[in-house]
Every structure is written in structure tokens, then in C-alpha cells.
């Protein structure tokens, strides 16, 4: 029966709630089947062992409605369940135009922050149609299906609210493309890995503090990246090339990095990295992690020594966005189906060019400009922004 056919048809909303056990859903519909009703809608939720089952069915003819009500209540009582039956007409009212998925991450997720997000959705003219938990650890992640407001204004409103209450919120348009094959491109230093690679090299050259200060100023957007890169690399002149292997061994992946990549790859995503660091490290990461794409600057090595220079095209702020577009073209993925993840000012062009730009534990200027921010120390939390559940993550780990 189509939506137009049910719009004026008398219907019954049958609600069952109580302790969950096998066979409740089958039992309810077996009971209803004796009255030849049609099923218009079904919703079922189980939370901490308690079931709420709602069935919207057409109203049986004549006096059969009273018999149906009595039979359903008797069946429910036999299982120590509660039943409620409400008369009405038709189905749910049509959802408003403009549909979005709103993902909220909390560590923990408090009632206060949930109330604030829900209230802000309402204030924009949006309606919450459904709420679903994506994960309970290492963060709590819930998803709101929202209609009645366009994605852009909703994202802007919730970004402001999220910053004020200290939760992470992502807003993406609903549609089939959300789970279509995508491309995820991420920064390396302080994103995929916990370290700044040039600082690892600098530690071996005895100039770590000086390099770290310049790096921090560059990440805050206070210095031109290319100038700062040349200044820092020049301090490495004379280092023996054997330091490359030592630095590779010192690199620490961000918690959740392997899980993120493994899960994305199992779901058909392509994954790449772009870095203002060095191919001497990113090439090794590409091999270890099975990345599809990788691009970075290259330290010049002559006669077994670092010269203090880089060779080839510089991967800077504009270069990262350019590489995102190149990777997307090679992968055959539309740019609006790409995801970019980064933490520094030199990631901003890439984050803005992507369909979804994620600021990961980022500097304030980056958090304010990106589509969404993740401020928990687990890189795999990004998966929940894509609508991927913890169960799917765990299944990918077993495959």
C-alpha cells in the first residue's frame, strides 16, 4: 500500500514495551495476523535489555478492532509486557525538506550537552526524526537524523553550539553518497602520528628546541610554511643518512590510526596522506599501513649526508589541497565525496576543499574554519562522523 493510499486510512499504533527476549516481534505480528491487517510502519529499539516495539497497522473492519485490542493485551500480559494501542489516521507526517545526519561525540556525552544540541536543532527549524547510537567506546557517539532545515545553516548553528559546550559535532547531508566509496586523505604530523617528524630529525642534530619553536609558529599560521620549512631543514645539514632509519623507528602512530585505516579499507575506501614532512618517513608509513596515496617533501641526501635542503615540489598549504584533488581524480571519487583530516594551518585549504573537512585536535584557527572538529585523542573517532558503527569497526578487525 503506497503512502497516498494510507494517508486517509484508519490505523492503529500498537506499542509494546518491557523486558526483551527472543520471539517478541514474531509473537506480536503472529497475533496481529489473525486480523488481516497491513503493516504500515515498524520501529524497534532495545536499550539495556528493555524493548520498545511500535507497529503501525491498518485498522481491522467492524467489531474486530475491539477483539484485536483484547487479544494483543492478553498476549502482552502473558509475557509480562505492557501494551498500548492508539487509534488514528494514516502514517507519519512527511519529513521536511533538507535532511542531514548530525553526529555528536562526547567523552563523556552529558545530558546537558545533548539537551543543548537538541535545542539548537529545534531553534534552526529542524526536526529530530530518529536518534541512533553509533558507539559507546572509546567515545560515546550518537547520530540524529534531522529534517526541515538545510545542511549548511544547520552545520553553522551546531558548530557554534559545539564549541561552547565542548562536544564534537559533524553535520553531513543525508543521501546514498554518504556510504558510497570515498577517499580519505589525512595530514601526517600530529594527525596520523603523534610526532612532528622534523623535530625527531632535529633531536639527532641537537637543535630540537629551535626547530619546535618554528614549527609551532608555522602551525599557528604566523609564518609562511615554505620559508619555515627551509629554515628548519637547513639546521639538519650534515646529519648522517642513517638517521632516517632511527627516525622511522621513533615514529608513534596516533591511537586509533591503524583501526581507522583498516576499517576504511575494509569498507572500500581509498586512503592517502599528504605531509609537509618527508617522503623518507611517509613512504615507510604507506608501506606499513597499506595506504593508497602518499606525498610529502623529500630531504636531499648527497654522499650519505643530509644537505639541509629539500628537493622537488614543496608540499605546503596550497600543495595539500592540490594533492587532494589529484588523488580524488586518480581514485575516481568526486571531490564532494572526499574527507580530509588535519590539525594545522597548512591543512586549511585541504580541509575546505574536501566534502568533509575534519580538524583533529587542531589549533583554534583550524577548528573554527573546518567543517567539524574532533577533540578526543582517538583518530578512529572520525569513523563515527561517517556513520560507521562500532560494530562495523570491530567486524573489520576480525576480517
Amino acid at each position: 500500500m503506497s503512502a497516498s493510499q494510507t494517508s486517509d486510512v484508519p490505523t492503529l499504533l500498537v506499542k509494546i514495551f518491557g523486558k526483551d527476549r527472543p520471539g517478541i516481534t514474531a509473537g506480536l505480528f503472529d497475533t496481529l495476523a489473525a486480523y488481516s491487517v497491513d503493516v504500515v510502519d515498524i520501529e524497534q529499539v532495545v536499550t539495556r535489555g528493555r524493548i520498545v516495539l511500535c507497529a503501525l497497522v491498518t485498522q481491522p473492519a467492524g467489531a474486530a478492532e475491539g477483539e484485536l485490542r483484547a487479544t494483543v493485551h492478553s498476549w502482552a500480559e502473558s509475557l509480562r509486557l505492557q501494551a498500548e494501542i492508539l487509534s488514528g489516521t494514516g502514517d507519519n507526517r512527511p519529513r521536511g525538506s533538507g535532511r542531514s545526519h548530525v553526529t555528536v561525540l562526547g567523552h563523556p556525552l552529558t545530558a546537558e550537552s545533548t539537551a543543548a544540541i537538541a535545542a539548537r536543532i529545534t531553534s534552526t527549524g529542524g526536526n529530530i526524526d530518529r536518534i541512533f547510537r553509533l558507539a559507546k567506546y572509546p567515545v560515546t557517539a550518537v547520530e540524529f537524523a534531522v529534517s526541515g532545515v538545510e545542511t549548511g545553516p544547520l552545520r553553522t548553528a551546531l558548530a557554534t553550539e559545539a564549541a561552547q559546550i565542548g562536544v564534537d559535532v559533524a553535520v553531513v547531508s543525508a543521501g546514498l553518497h554518504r556510504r558510497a566509496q570515498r577517499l580519505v586523505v589525512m595530514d601526517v604530523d600530529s594527525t596520523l602520528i603523534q610526532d612532528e617528524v622534523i623535530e625527531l630529525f632535529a633531536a639527532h642534530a641537537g637543535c630540537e628546541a629551535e626547530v619546535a619553536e618554528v614549527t609551532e609558529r608555522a602551525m599557528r599560521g604566523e609564518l609562511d610554511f615554505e620559508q619555515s620549512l627551509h629554515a628548519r631543514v637547513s639546521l639538519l645539514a650534515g646529519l648522517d643518512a642513517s638517521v632516517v632509519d632511527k627516525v622511522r623507528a621513533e615514529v608513534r602512530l596516533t591511537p586509533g590510526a591503524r583501526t581507522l585505516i583498516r576499517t576504511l579499507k575494509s569498507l572500500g575506501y581509498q586512503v592517502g596522506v599528504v605531509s609537509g614532512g618527508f617522503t623518507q618517513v611517509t613512504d615507510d608509513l604507506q608501506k606499513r599501513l597499506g595506504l593508497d596515496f602518499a606525498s610529502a617533501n623529500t630531504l636531499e641526501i648527497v654522499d650519505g649526508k643530509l644537505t639541509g635542503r629539500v628537493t622537488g615540489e614543496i608540499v605546503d598549504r596550497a600543495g595539500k589541497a592540490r594533492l587532494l584533488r589529484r588523488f580524488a581524480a586518480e581514485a575516481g571519487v568526486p571531490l564532494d565525496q572526499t574527507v580530509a583530516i588535519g590539525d594545522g594551518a597548512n591543512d586549511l585549504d585541504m580541509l575546505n576543499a574536501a566534502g568533509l573537512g575534519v580538524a583533529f585536535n587542531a589549533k583554534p584557527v583550524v577548528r573554527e574554519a573546518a567543517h567539524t572538529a574532533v577533540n578526543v585523542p582517538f583518530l578512529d573517532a572520525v569513523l563515527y562522523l561517517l556513520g560507521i558503527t562500532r560494530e562495523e569497526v570491530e567486524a573489520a578487525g576480525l576480517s
Side-chain angles (χ1 to χ4, degrees):
M1 186 177 292
S2 68
S4 61
Q5 291 174 311
T6 61
S7 59
D8 298 323
V9 172
T11 52
L12 298 177
L13 175 59
V14 181
K15 300 172 63 178
I16 304 296
F17 34 99
K19 185 177 180 181
D20 187 33
R21 72 201 73 177
I24 291 177
T25 305
L28 173 62
F29 285 96
D30 186 54
T31 302
L32 294 172
Y35 300 92
S36 301
V37 297
D38 295 332
V39 177
V40 179
D41 196 6
I42 308 172
E43 291 280 355
Q44 179 173 307
V45 177
V46 178
T47 305
R48 209 182 65 180
R50 309 293 292 184
I51 187 172
V52 178
L53 170 60
C54 297
L56 186 65
V57 300
T58 54
Q59 187 180 66
E65 179 185 340
E67 184 180 338
L68 179 151
R69 288 175 176 268
T71 302
V72 169
H73 280 287
S74 177
W75 166 82
E77 289 174 5
S78 72
L79 296 178
R80 296 183 179 180
L81 300 170
Q82 296 181 10
E84 181 180 8
I85 303 175
L86 304 173
S87 300
T89 302
D91 197 352
N92 300 318
R93 61 188 176 89
R95 296 178 65 191
S97 61
R99 299 182 184 182
S100 305
H101 297 287
V102 176
T103 306
V104 182
L105 307 181
H107 189 57
L109 180 62
T110 66
E112 181 180 9
S113 59
T114 304
I117 294 297
R120 181 56 68 96
I121 291 172
T122 300
S123 72
T124 65
N127 184 71
I128 300 171
D129 301 313
R130 186 172 299 168
I131 305 174
F132 176 72
R133 186 178 71 181
L134 295 168
K136 59 183 179 181
Y137 69 93
V139 298
T140 301
V142 295
E143 180 176 288
F144 296 75
V146 177
S147 62
V149 59
E150 294 302 320
T151 299
L154 180 62
R155 177 185 287 156
T156 300
L158 290 181
T160 302
E161 188 68 36
Q164 293 175 350
I165 63 178
V167 298
D168 299 333
V169 177
V171 183
V172 298
S173 298
L176 293 175
H177 71 274
R178 188 187 187 208
R179 296 299 293 272
Q181 186 180 51
R182 286 194 183 198
L183 168 70
V184 176
V185 176
M186 67 189 90
D187 176 41
V188 175
D189 293 9
S190 300
T191 300
L192 177 64
I193 66 174
Q194 301 177 57
D195 312 283
E196 292 288 332
V197 168
I198 196 166
E199 293 178 13
L200 297 179
F201 278 101
H204 292 279
C207 56
E208 184 177 15
E210 185 175 355
V211 165
E213 180 183 355
V214 178
T215 299
E216 183 63 25
R217 293 181 64 192
M219 291 301 98
R220 292 197 302 263
E222 297 173 5
L223 292 176
D224 173 79
F225 177 81
E226 184 171 351
Q227 290 178 334
S228 71
L229 175 67
H230 289 305
R232 289 174 291 175
V233 171
S234 67
L235 299 172
L236 307 180
L239 272 178
D240 192 275
S242 63
V243 75
V244 170
D245 289 333
K246 296 177 182 177
V247 168
R248 286 175 175 173
E250 293 167 352
V251 165
R252 301 166 299 163
L253 292 174
T254 298
R258 288 187 184 276
T259 300
L260 172 70
I261 294 168
R262 180 183 65 237
T263 304
L264 291 172
K265 297 287 287 182
S266 73
L267 294 174
Y269 286 66
Q270 297 187 62
V271 184
V273 293
V274 292
S275 177
F278 310 109
T279 57
Q280 282 83 358
V281 170
T282 58
D283 287 352
D284 181 61
L285 289 170
Q286 182 177 18
K287 182 178 179 180
R288 287 166 51 195
L289 300 174
L291 302 172
D292 299 284
F293 304 98
S295 187
N297 300 301
T298 299
L299 290 169
E300 184 180 62
I301 299 175
V302 176
D303 297 329
K305 301 287 185 181
L306 275 64
T307 66
R309 296 187 296 269
V310 292
T311 62
E313 183 181 7
I314 296 297
V315 179
D316 56 7
R317 175 169 170 168
K320 288 187 173 185
R322 185 168 57 251
L323 286 163
L324 170 69
R325 295 186 176 92
R326 183 189 304 170
F327 293 167
E330 293 178 12
V333 175
L335 200 59
D336 64 0
Q337 292 184 25
T338 63
V339 180
I341 310 168
D343 74 300
N346 66 329
D347 297 315
L348 276 174
D349 289 2
M350 176 178 71
L351 298 181
N352 290 327
L356 177 65
V358 181
F360 180 72
N361 291 309
K363 312 301 183 291
V365 66
V366 183
R367 290 199 304 268
E368 293 168 5
H371 297 140
T372 189
V374 171
N375 295 301
V376 295
F378 313 107
L379 192 57
D380 54 340
V382 173
L383 294 167
Y384 309 135
L385 306 184
L386 307 179
I388 298 169
T389 67
R390 188 69 201 180
E391 288 78 8
E392 289 172 311
V393 173
E394 292 173 350
L398 296 173
S399 61

